[in-house]
Amino acid sequence: MKVIYTKNHLKHNPTYEIYDGIKESYAEKPGRLLSIVNSLEQAGGYIFVAPRKFPNKCISALHKDVYIDFLKDRSASLKKDGVLYPSYFLRDTYAPVVKGTYDAAVTSVNVALTGAEIIVNKREKIVYALCRPPGHHAECNAMSGYCYFNNAAIAANYLSSRGKVVILDVDFHHGNGTQAMFYERDDVFYISIHADPEVKFPYISGFANEKGKGAGLGFNKNYPLPLGTTNQVYLRILKKAILHVHIFKPTFLVVSLGFDTYEKDPIGGFTLTIPFYKKMAEEIAQIGLPTLIVQEGGYNVDDLGKMAVSFLSGFTGFSNFQ
Ligand code: Q9C
Ligand code: ZN
């Protein structure tokens, strides 16, 4: 299996986030990807591919130019250890801008697009885009929740010129950015399973009654779940979500993959176990579609590699995904 990856993400390394005025260590650490890469290398059978550069229009198709310019200019004008906290375009304390943020965020988009391109060219049926920073909370004009550019949405938009796309978001948090970007479109169907936004970030969206608007009505589906959700309950909901994927008959599947549903995740609240990620992937593999996996959250740095190996092993049992 091909894994799109580059070390460029290391440039984005904020030291803290702020919660109720208290500084906490930044959960979205570079070590997250280092843990995953390390475990994949040990497991063997993964081919690491560097991303190529894609034109800016891929990003500006979904993000406003003033927003892109803001991130670019602010990143560039910061001093070496400088950091920018909430301001216009920067919605919360979980998306600080440091000097390397813009560059790392653009690269993260290129990681997802490189994966999408490989799938479009039919060179692979499954690709793992090891993105960092993550993307699904980023809106057309807002950075939020560790996200700057919406990698999965940009890749899905790229794929959508070649066929219908489903984005299946299994991160612990609702992908408010992805939902908003496709809310009025009928060619990209956003389906998300996540913690109830009444109690968990992003609070503003992810409710079951958000079903799309205009042409997009019926092409947005949310499954908010209570804290403490188990493997068993999660599997039942995943199977329901997958039924909707089949009904839509897409050409491509994009999975927004978060490992913050893990029982020992420091900021999550579900109780999924490491072996369960293989089961989850087997269900997704059985859909049988060309699939781009895009890394979103997951904050237990020590165990992230094990989760990734477990998840990806769920695809290798299917001959057409080798
Ligand atoms: N004190 C993603 O998983 N709230 N973003 C954290 C910690 C922000 C999560 C609270 C969560 C953002 C991509
Ligand atoms: Zn998350």
Side-chain angles (χ1 to χ4, degrees):
M1 188 186 297
K2 285 200 170 129
V3 180
I4 319 302
Y5 178 70
T6 166
K7 285 196 172 105
N8 203 46
H9 70 91
L10 297 171
K11 291 181 182 166
H12 173 64
N13 190 9
T15 48
Y16 62 86
E17 53 192 72
I18 305 167
Y19 187 71
D20 272 357
I22 296 164
K23 287 183 182 178
E24 297 176 350
S25 158
Y26 196 64
E28 202 286 284
K29 299 177 196 309
R32 298 174 54 240
L33 292 207
L34 303 179
S35 167
I36 293 175
V37 167
N38 195 20
S39 295
L40 296 183
E41 277 172 345
Q42 274 176 23
Y46 295 95
I47 303 152
F48 291 88
V49 176
R52 80 162 179 93
K53 286 196 172 77
F54 283 77
N56 292 337
K57 66 170 194 284
C58 294
I59 297 179
S60 59
L62 292 184
H63 289 282
K64 295 218 164 89
D65 286 323
V66 281
Y67 171 78
I68 300 169
D69 292 343
F70 172 90
L71 183 54
K72 185 178 185 176
D73 298 344
R74 291 306 177 93
S75 282
S77 60
L78 282 167
K79 298 223 167 63
K80 191 175 153 286
D81 292 318
V83 53
L84 176 70
Y85 276 97
S87 59
Y88 198 67
F89 296 125
L90 206 168
R91 182 183 284 160
D92 56 48
T93 58
Y94 307 116
V97 175
V98 297
K99 201 163 182 53
T101 299
Y102 174 76
D103 194 45
V106 170
T107 305
S108 195
V109 169
N110 286 331
V111 167
L113 285 169
T114 300
E117 182 179 54
I118 291 173
I119 284 170
V120 162
N121 294 342
K122 298 201 168 50
R123 280 181 280 143
E124 303 285 339
K125 196 163 177 191
I126 177 145
V127 178
Y128 181 30
L130 205 32
C131 293
R132 182 181 174 274
H136 73 157
H137 299 304
E139 297 191 3
C140 67
N141 60 355
M143 52 197 93
S144 160
Y146 312 141
C147 302
Y148 303 85
F149 294 135
N150 197 321
N151 312 309
I154 293 166
N157 186 52
Y158 170 91
L159 291 169
S160 73
S161 64
R162 281 93 172 169
K164 293 198 295 180
V165 184
V166 165
I167 302 172
L168 178 62
D169 190 331
V170 295
D171 186 276
F172 175 77
H173 305 95
H174 179 246
N176 55 289
T178 317
Q179 168 170 302
M181 284 166 168
F182 299 110
Y183 207 63
E184 297 186 44
R185 284 172 60 167
D186 61 1
D187 59 335
V188 179
F189 186 179
Y190 179 70
I191 306 178
S192 179
I193 305 172
H194 50 264
D196 186 351
E198 287 273 4
V199 289
K200 281 286 183 179
F201 188 90
Y203 310 109
I204 54 170
S205 67
F207 300 93
N209 64 359
E210 295 158 11
K211 296 179 177 166
K213 191 179 159 194
L217 187 61
F219 303 108
N220 191 85
K221 197 136 186 71
N222 286 324
Y223 294 94
L225 299 177
L227 295 185
T229 290
T230 59
N231 292 340
Q232 200 190 4
V233 170
Y234 197 96
L235 184 62
R236 207 175 66 226
I237 302 300
L238 179 64
K239 285 182 175 177
K240 275 197 199 182
I242 288 173
L243 280 181
H244 289 277
V245 179
H246 287 296
I247 296 167
F248 186 65
K249 293 193 174 60
T251 306
F252 304 106
L253 178 65
V254 173
V255 178
S256 263
L257 176 63
F259 291 126
D260 35 10
T261 48
Y262 178 44
E263 56 179 345
K264 294 179 200 158
D265 190 90
I267 71 173
F270 290 171
T271 65
L272 307 195
T273 60
I274 290 171
F276 182 74
Y277 290 100
K278 178 175 186 188
K279 180 78 194 128
M280 198 194 271
E282 284 171 346
E283 294 294 328
I284 295 169
Q286 268 180 47
I287 303 170
L289 289 169
T291 300
L292 175 68
I293 302 168
V294 177
Q295 188 63 50
E296 300 284 358
Y299 306 98
N300 186 317
V301 173
D302 290 344
D303 292 349
L304 272 175
K306 290 177 210 142
M307 287 179 254
V309 168
S310 173
F311 185 85
L312 298 177
S313 73
F315 285 89
T316 49
F318 293 81
S319 55
N320 56 345
F321 280 114
Q322 290 288 337

